[in-house]
């Protein structure tokens, strides 16, 4: 294992200190318990938007804290859920009197801990709603979930919902919007290589030089099938077909197309994937109205990518275009 480390046990805390030093105008970091919160929190009268999960998926979630997106993020240890006491303190830190929305990726540990944190926060007088994101069409259940995993749609939900909260929408409206984004989004990922969790020191799984795994999760959990490596056009066809047929997406739809790198894939390959996706959708009369290409929900240094399609309406499109200023995503602000 070759990584930039001091002590593997200190990786998350050391990284959070660096994030605070690099982006002090956008966010603050609390280390005990650990959470990343926007610099001006809490904002009086504004719905707080909280998300979180295991570390190793950067820039998600801490990199999306700031104006127009998340108010606070809870980072767990690498690929490990944050604890309820973290989430409770983070919830209280962004409660401006209008309640707090928890955006939860569907992984069993995250769901259970978020539920416990929400109950504890309600006991302390904070109104909390929670929405579970479950957009991955690859498998119905996985090593870490009952039901579909929550993956790329989380990024899109955090941006769109964060913009609605920034406009002053109330908690029920923001939560309904988050559920609508989840209902209209579908994703699938694939891997060319494994990643190595620093505390383990060995690759999570083995893939031959001529193999790929289709439908893999963001922790290296198994996908639909392991196959000989194919051309990018054929790989995109496999993934996009599963996504389009699942909702289903239809001729005339306008979508936000998100091509995400898993951490070890260069941008030149991600743009190639986007072009193949554009070609695939054009043949089905599906229009890409908005796009996002880059590494936004990663799996440490894993090579591979994921595709997410979101069926847009006018409100989602307007909120996607609204200003955002975070470490990992920014425009218009």
């Amino acid at each position: 294992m070759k990584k930039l480390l001091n002590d593997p046990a200190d990786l998350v805390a050391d990284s959070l200190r660096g994030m605070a030093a690099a982006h002090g105008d956008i966010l603050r970091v609390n280390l005990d318990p650990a959470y990343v919160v926007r610099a001006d929190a809490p904002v009086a009268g504004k719905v707080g938007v909280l998300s979180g999960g295991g570390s190793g998926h950067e820039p998600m979630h801490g990199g999306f804290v700031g104006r127009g997106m998340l108010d606070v993020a809870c980072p767990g240890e690498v690929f490990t859920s944050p604890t309820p006491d973290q989430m409770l303190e983070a919830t209280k830190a962004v409660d401006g009197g209008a309640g707090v929305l928890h955006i939860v990726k569907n992984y069993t540990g995250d769901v259970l801990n978020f539920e416990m944190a929400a109950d504890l926060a309600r006991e302390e007088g904070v109104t909390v709603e929670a929405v579970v994101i479950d957009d991955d069409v690859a498998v119905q259940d996985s090593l870490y979930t009952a039901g579909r995993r929550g993956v790329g749609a989380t990024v899109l939900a955090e941006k769109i919902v964060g913009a609605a909260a920034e406009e002053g929408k109330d908690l029920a409206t923001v939560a309904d919007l988050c559920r609508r984004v989840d209902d209209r989004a579908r994703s699938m990922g694939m891997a060319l290589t494994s990643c190595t969790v620093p505390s383990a020191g060995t690759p999570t799984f083995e893939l031959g030089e001529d193999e790929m795994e289709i439908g893999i999760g963001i922790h290296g959990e198994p996908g639909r099938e392991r196959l000989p490596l194919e051309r990018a056009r054929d790989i995109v066809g496999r993934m996009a077909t599963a996504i389009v047929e699942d909702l289903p997406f239809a001729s005339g739809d306008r979508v936000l197309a998100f091509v995400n790198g898993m951490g070890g894939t260069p941008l030149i390959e991600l743009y190639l994937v986007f072009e193949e996706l554009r070609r695939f959708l054009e043949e089905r009369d599906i229009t890409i109205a908005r796009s996002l290409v880059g590494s936004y929900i990663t799996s440490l240094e894993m090579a591979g990518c994921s595709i997410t399609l979101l069926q847009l309406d006018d409100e989602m499109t307007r909120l996607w275009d609204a200003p955002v200023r975070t470490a990992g995503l920014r425009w218009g602000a």
Side-chain angles (χ1 to χ4, degrees):
M1 179 180 70
K2 271 185 171 178
K3 291 181 183 287
L4 294 170
L5 296 167
N6 296 316
D7 182 330
D10 296 331
L11 170 59
V12 173
D14 286 349
S15 179
L16 290 175
R17 291 187 187 95
M19 173 177 278
H23 303 292
D25 57 328
I26 296 173
L27 53 82
R28 293 180 278 115
V29 169
N30 192 80
L31 289 174
D32 187 21
Y35 58 82
V36 180
V37 62
R38 60 187 275 176
D40 58 349
V43 180
K46 176 188 175 298
V47 170
V49 183
L50 181 157
S51 194
S55 295
H57 307 302
E58 290 70 25
M60 175 174 274
H61 295 277
F64 299 145
V65 170
R67 181 185 167 199
M69 211 161 171
L70 295 178
D71 290 87
V72 64
C74 289
E77 293 300 317
V78 173
F79 294 177
T80 302
S81 174
T83 60
D85 66 298
Q86 275 180 265
M87 298 172 189
L88 172 62
E89 294 305 316
T91 300
K92 290 158 59 178
V94 296
D95 177 30
V100 179
L101 176 69
H102 290 178
I103 301 177
V104 187
K105 298 191 303 301
N106 189 32
Y107 288 90
T108 300
D110 287 354
V111 172
L112 293 175
N113 286 353
F114 265 103
E115 286 178 350
M116 191 177 300
D119 289 341
L120 293 170
R122 291 177 187 122
E123 289 175 5
E124 297 199 21
V126 182
T127 304
V128 175
E129 285 228 30
V131 176
V132 177
I133 304 295
D134 57 354
D135 55 307
D136 190 348
V137 305
V139 291
Q140 181 57 42
D141 300 297
S142 78
L143 291 177
Y144 298 95
T145 64
R148 291 178 168 179
R149 298 174 291 224
V151 286
T154 317
V155 177
L156 311 185
E158 289 174 359
K159 170 64 188 79
I160 291 169
V161 166
E166 201 72 50
E167 288 184 350
K169 299 287 191 299
D170 63 31
L171 180 58
T173 301
V174 170
D176 285 346
L177 175 64
C178 193
R179 294 186 188 96
R180 197 162 89 236
V181 172
D182 182 52
D183 288 344
R184 296 187 180 188
R186 297 290 187 273
S187 300
M188 182 177 276
M190 63 83 61
L192 297 170
T193 68
S194 174
C195 62
T196 297
V197 176
S199 60
T202 56
T204 304
F205 59 92
E206 297 290 344
L207 266 179
E209 279 297 312
D210 58 348
E211 290 182 316
M212 62 179 178
E213 182 93 9
I214 298 290
I216 197 150
I218 56 175
H219 308 96
E221 58 268 46
R224 283 190 171 189
E225 51 191 344
R226 182 167 296 192
L227 298 169
L229 186 60
E230 299 174 333
R231 295 186 310 164
R233 180 169 301 175
D234 299 323
I235 296 170
V236 171
R238 284 180 181 276
M239 298 165 70
T241 297
I243 291 169
V244 168
E245 291 181 349
D246 190 89
L247 193 63
F249 292 84
S251 172
D253 279 351
R254 298 171 67 253
V255 300
L256 193 166
F258 175 26
V259 171
N260 172 66
M262 302 300 285
T265 304
L267 198 53
I268 189 172
E269 295 178 26
L270 297 181
Y271 278 124
L272 183 156
V273 168
F274 185 83
E275 168 58 13
E276 295 302 334
L277 179 61
R278 183 203 62 79
R279 185 196 309 267
F280 176 95
L281 295 174
E282 187 175 80
E283 291 171 354
R284 289 154 181 79
D285 192 31
I286 297 171
T287 301
I288 297 178
R290 296 292 185 275
S291 61
L292 183 67
V293 180
S295 295
Y296 294 99
I297 172 170
T298 60
S299 184
L300 294 170
E301 78 280 25
M302 182 186 290
C305 70
S306 62
I307 292 171
T308 300
L309 296 180
L310 169 63
Q311 200 176 49
L312 285 170
D313 59 26
D314 290 343
E315 182 182 26
M316 289 184 200
T317 305
R318 181 181 64 76
L319 292 168
W320 178 258
D321 291 342
V324 60
R325 187 164 187 266
T326 70
L329 202 68
R330 65 176 74 186
W331 55 73

